[in-house]
Amino acid sequence: MTAAAAPAATRPVISAWSAVSPYGLGAQALVDGLRSGRSTAAPVDTARWGVPEGPAHLVPGFETRQVLGKKGTRSMDRVTGLAVSVVGGLLDQPEADRERETGERAALVLGTTTGSAESMMDFTRTSLLGEAPFDVDPAVMPNAVMNCAAGQCSIWYGIRGPNTTLAQGRTAGLAALHYSTRLLSSGRAGSVLCTAAEEFSRARYWLERHSRAAEAGDAGYDAEVALGEGAAALLVQRPDTLSPARPALAEVLAVRTRVATGDRVRPVLEACVASALEAAGARPHDVWAASPGDAPGRLGACERQALTALFGTEAVERVPGVGRLGDVSAASATFQIAFLLATAALSDEAAGRLAVITSADRDGSLACAVLRLVAP
């Protein structure tokens, strides 16, 4: 059965976005960073992070208590701080309508890898090393739960609709977007803050270093896949809930997922893209921009090659690669969409054109979204 594109009047739209990235706090910092093309890599403070010397892509000067204040942040971990900060950045924009974007008809969906690996490991270590297993700091316990960041975002800003955390690695951002559209189409929310966040930490560094060693062929940590961190947020709404101050930036035409293993990644990814295009009522020659997820190593190369073969080099290079932020893992796809919207805002030819966003995770999960850019 051929999938039909949803009627234009019912398609969910993205009406705003924000970011906390290695370029700085806020959407404008990301736009300025992309325009400058500057690198975000910097040497790691080895004493603070407990990792070997090398580069990383950190949010400059980000300290949770300095950004959010001292109240309620004493035990807040880094990934939660990043998530709360990016949601606040979106809701504090001059165009924001708090009555529409928070409250009972507002939902929040957050994509992640595991939440905070650092918090989980620290809490477990304390239990193992204490005189008794229960000799732990109870204030830290919520951080060890995967949905802590999403819960804190809703508590801070009074978002009382559905609150969901999706753990799906690099494809988490597109999984969150898909889930957001389903909340809207089912009538369970009028607007959704679709977010994704990833922190830099000692625990994540060592987990990545050891898990990548087999693929890299040695135990070294390649600077080309240095870890990054950050969070991005999209405001996804039904068209009938838009306010004049926040017009649509892009329509979400389709999101599709697949699972592949071994050497089947490229053909399955191509099938996933084909399925998304079919659902959107589009063909490859309609695509103006295609953004791969820049996964480290062979997986990322395979993904980029597949999109280049389908849409051409010009389409793939039209939007800056998310890899310039380092490996931001679960936040990758949401940053890809932010990059796309920032690029489209500076282009006279983007309005009405289609864009493809893909993600590929080493566990075999694949995802593709098709968006139609809207004139500002």
Side-chain angles (χ1 to χ4, degrees), residues 113 121 203-222 225 227 296-298 327 329 361-363:
T113 301
M121 290 189 175
R204 182 179 169 223
Y205 175 92
W206 289 108
L207 286 170
E208 289 290 338
R209 175 164 180 159
H210 290 299
S211 61
R212 288 180 185 170
E215 182 178 349
D218 57 59
Y221 191 71
D222 194 318
V225 290
L227 294 183
R298 293 188 295 271
D327 178 7
S329 193
D361 192 84
R362 60 190 175 196
D363 70 356

Side-chain angles (χ1 to χ4, degrees), residues 36-256:
S36 71
R38 64 181 174 85
S39 172
T40 60
V44 173
D45 182 342
T46 59
R48 174 184 177 181
W49 295 103
V51 301
E53 292 183 2
H57 302 254
L58 305 182
V59 178
F62 184 86
E63 298 294 342
T64 298
R65 303 198 78 187
Q66 293 178 10
V67 175
L68 297 175
K70 295 181 179 180
K71 184 178 180 179
T73 57
R74 182 183 67 83
S75 59
M76 186 179 286
D77 59 22
R78 193 169 182 86
V79 72
T80 302
L82 291 168
V84 173
S85 296
V86 78
V87 171
L90 189 62
L91 294 174
D92 288 340
Q93 291 173 351
E95 306 83 6
D97 184 340
R98 285 286 185 117
E99 290 187 6
R100 289 174 178 263
E101 297 165 14
T102 61
E104 294 180 0
R105 294 294 296 157
L108 186 135
V109 181
L110 183 132
T112 182
T113 301
T114 59
S116 173
E118 184 81 2
S119 293
M120 294 177 185
M121 290 189 175
D122 283 350
F123 190 77
T124 303
R125 183 183 300 110
T126 301
S127 178
L128 294 173
L129 297 180
E131 292 186 6
F134 49 80
D135 287 339
V136 296
D137 182 355
V140 178
M141 183 177 179
N143 294 330
V145 180
M146 187 180 66
N147 63 353
C148 175
Q152 284 294 312
C153 289
S154 289
I155 291 169
W156 271 68
Y157 301 111
I159 301 165
R160 297 192 296 276
N163 183 281
T164 305
T165 299
L166 299 175
Q168 203 163 313
R170 299 189 69 84
T171 58
L174 292 187
L177 180 62
H178 192 200
Y179 195 93
S180 298
T181 64
R182 293 172 63 188
L183 286 174
L184 296 174
S185 64
S186 65
R188 299 179 70 86
S191 65
V192 184
L193 286 162
C194 177
T195 65
E198 194 71 71
E199 68 178 7
F200 179 87
S201 67
R202 175 182 54 185
R204 182 179 169 223
Y205 175 92
W206 289 108
L207 286 170
E208 289 290 338
R209 175 164 180 159
H210 290 299
S211 61
R212 288 180 185 170
E215 182 178 349
D218 57 59
Y221 191 71
D222 194 318
E224 294 182 359
V225 290
L227 294 183
E229 68 170 2
L234 312 170
L235 180 60
V236 188
Q237 298 179 259
R238 295 200 320 265
D240 61 351
T241 66
L242 289 172
S243 68
R246 286 223 206 254
L249 302 177
E251 293 177 304
V252 183
L253 302 185
V255 183
R256 292 293 183 269

